[in-house]
Amino acid sequence: MAQSKFVKANEEIAKKVVGTFEKIEGAVVGSYTKVEDAVVGGYTKVEDAFVDRYLTRDGETVEAAKVRLKKEQEQRESGETAQ
């Protein structure tokens, strides 16, 4: 009888600990996700501004310049391996 009371008490404590851990985990992961989104968003803004200012050609959009630059990079990489 006494052992079953201990088992029940242990199970209740375990449920509370797991619940608390899940709450903490959710908060940490949520915070990390927010920070990650902010950093990636900031980097994208800087990247777009740099491409717009220094790498676009007349009348070319930032997106078109990025596509062009990616193709040029792939051509350079495939040309290096072919030699």
Side-chain angles (χ1 to χ4, degrees), residues 29-45:
V29 171
S31 297
Y32 175 83
T33 303
K34 287 179 184 177
V35 169
E36 181 183 29
D37 291 343
V39 169
V40 170
Y43 174 82
T44 303
K45 286 180 183 179

Side-chain angles (χ1 to χ4, degrees), residues 74-83:
E74 289 171 355
Q75 289 174 350
R76 281 192 297 273
E77 289 174 356
S78 65
E80 290 174 4
T81 56
Q83 294 176 351

Side-chain angles (χ1 to χ4, degrees), residues 51-67:
V51 170
D52 185 38
R53 181 171 287 170
Y54 299 110
L55 302 174
T56 55
R57 295 183 177 160
D58 291 333
E60 188 177 42
T61 65
V62 172
E63 292 79 18
K66 285 182 177 183
V67 170

